[in-house]
Amino acid sequence: MPPIWNLQQVLVSLASAGALLWVAILLDRKRSWPAGWSLHLSIPSRDPKPAQFPPCVAVIAARHEAATLPRTLPRLLRQLDHFHRIVIVDDRSEDSTGSTARRLAGSDLDDKVQVVRVDELPDGWASKVNAMHVGIEAATANWDGDHAEQWILLTAADILHPTTSMARMLTKAREHDFDVVSVMAQLRASRFWERLLIPPFVYFSQLLHPFRKASDPQSSVAALAGGCILVRRSTLQDAGGLEAIKDALVDDMALARTLKASGARIWLGIDPDLRSLRTYGSVGEVIDRVSRTAFAALHYRYWALPIAWLGLLLLFIAPPVLATYGAIRLDPMIAGPALLAWLIATVTVIPVSQHQNVALGYALAMPISATVYIYMTLVSAWRHFRGKHEWRDRAENETHLI
């Protein structure tokens, strides 16, 4: 009796499955890269009077950022007229983060700029969440008025804002009645391993949590960009404040779910003018960074791991392998759909590479990147299984998307 399945049928099935999945993704407009979902395109650069905007405070959680603040803080200080107060939270830094922030604030220190030191982490709190909570408490102390007309900017110390960022975000919120406006920064990708792995990180995140769905109040998808979140004060209070996510290791994901569950109207977008200055010296640092959040993106579900691995295999790894094998064997039943899947995969990642200012040739390396990501999800899940969360205190100001 001949076998029900032979190798050729299995390979044809794999190639066809990959092609069908890519066609489905291509037809799903809400999963396409949000090229028109850019803050700088939807809200052109303008220079309105700050008095036209509602009051806002900024909270910057900073840990070991003495070298970064001289580049990033002045950009927000140039927009000081938009703020009731800017608070920099020196979260147990062992460098000169606090004194550097005070020096940069100059004559505005204590008037509109405040530096707060956190010396101890309270039980049950994740470090960055606690730092932001302390900053909000300091920034809003004795801040009277209608909380629905007051806004809080949560931003990372490594984020380089354009000088029009506050005007754009506040305009976006007011013109479209959003309660939350979050902007994904352009992550730095200057070294080889950054160019190889950072665009796929952004791409996979967008594929799992599409910006358009995150911005759709009818969708259950919830996501924010942790480096830049502008939220209405009353909206944050109605959702329980940061106390509701106090132990969250991936705070942006947790906050997104909490805010959306409370009925908040969220807009999540991109802006190439908003840039992260965070650098990674080696492939190990990139892997360590992504491993911190990879399992969280699957909501800590172990059963989702093989599904994620199968998806990466079918979508990114199998197509070039099967296309090459089919071409060598002169088998169009394998090579045809595999080549189609490979082509779609490469084309769809090109806008992400352009957003990251990475050469388009790196899009052809997606199979390698996907293989590394399978490894990173495994590392992330293994860390969680072993209860190894010592990085809770090391990832204070990492900019993660989702």
Side-chain angles (χ1 to χ4, degrees), residues 22-39:
W22 272 118
V23 170
I25 292 171
L26 196 62
L27 294 177
D28 185 354
R29 293 178 58 84
K30 289 191 174 182
R31 289 193 183 275
S32 61
W33 177 251
W37 223 250
S38 177
L39 184 66

Side-chain angles (χ1 to χ4, degrees), residues 20-226:
L20 288 174
L21 283 173
W22 272 118
V23 170
I25 292 171
L26 196 62
L27 294 177
D28 185 354
R29 293 178 58 84
K30 289 191 174 182
R31 289 193 183 275
S32 61
W33 177 251
W37 223 250
S38 177
L39 184 66
H40 82 295
L41 291 178
S42 60
I43 305 295
S45 179
R46 58 185 76 174
D47 188 24
K49 296 179 180 179
Q52 297 177 351
F53 293 106
C56 179
V57 297
V59 174
I60 306 170
R63 181 169 169 85
H64 303 151
E65 297 288 1
T68 307
L69 283 174
R71 299 183 62 187
T72 59
L73 185 55
R75 289 291 188 91
L76 287 177
L77 294 177
R78 288 176 64 182
Q79 304 178 68
L80 197 55
D81 287 343
H82 287 293
F83 294 106
H84 169 76
R85 181 166 289 273
I86 295 178
V87 174
I88 302 99
V89 183
D90 177 9
D91 187 12
R92 297 169 294 146
S93 299
E94 297 174 358
D95 63 2
S96 59
T97 292
S99 59
T100 299
R102 292 184 183 91
R103 175 178 58 81
L104 292 169
S107 60
D108 293 309
L109 188 65
D110 298 326
D111 178 20
K112 298 192 70 173
V113 181
Q114 184 177 356
V115 180
V116 178
R117 170 78 181 183
V118 172
D119 290 311
E120 295 183 3
L121 179 64
D123 290 340
W125 283 80
S127 186
K128 183 183 175 185
V129 181
N130 176 66
M132 292 189 297
H133 174 70
V134 170
I136 290 174
E137 291 293 303
T140 58
N142 303 317
W143 193 23
D144 300 322
D146 183 359
H147 291 189
E149 290 300 320
Q150 296 173 344
W151 294 81
I152 299 171
L153 173 67
L154 301 172
T155 187
D158 68 293
I159 297 297
L160 186 66
H161 284 257
T163 54
T164 56
S165 62
M166 288 310 302
R168 286 176 177 176
M169 286 189 288
L170 287 167
T171 300
K172 185 71 176 182
R174 298 186 75 188
E175 289 187 356
H176 300 276
D177 194 28
F178 289 114
D179 301 305
V180 186
V181 170
S182 183
V183 184
M184 186 194 71
Q186 181 191 87
L187 304 183
R188 182 161 176 165
S190 57
R191 297 180 173 90
F192 171 76
W193 284 108
E194 291 172 337
R195 295 187 185 115
L196 183 68
L197 296 176
I198 293 299
F201 169 67
V202 177
Y203 182 76
F204 295 153
S205 298
Q206 145 70 17
L207 204 58
L208 281 173
H209 303 89
F211 286 32
R212 291 179 174 86
K213 291 190 177 183
S215 304
D216 182 357
Q218 304 302 317
S219 172
S220 62
V221 174
L224 291 171

Side-chain angles (χ1 to χ4, degrees), residues 305-357:
L305 283 172
I307 297 176
W309 296 338
L310 180 62
L312 290 170
L313 177 65
L314 286 176
L315 292 174
F316 298 102
I317 301 172
V321 174
L322 293 177
T324 303
Y325 176 83
I328 293 174
R329 297 297 298 270
L330 301 178
D331 189 335
M333 295 296 291
I334 298 175
L339 188 59
L340 175 62
W342 191 11
L343 177 63
I344 297 175
T346 302
V347 169
T348 55
V349 81
I350 286 176
V352 186
S353 298
Q354 291 175 326
H355 172 74
Q356 292 294 142
N357 285 332

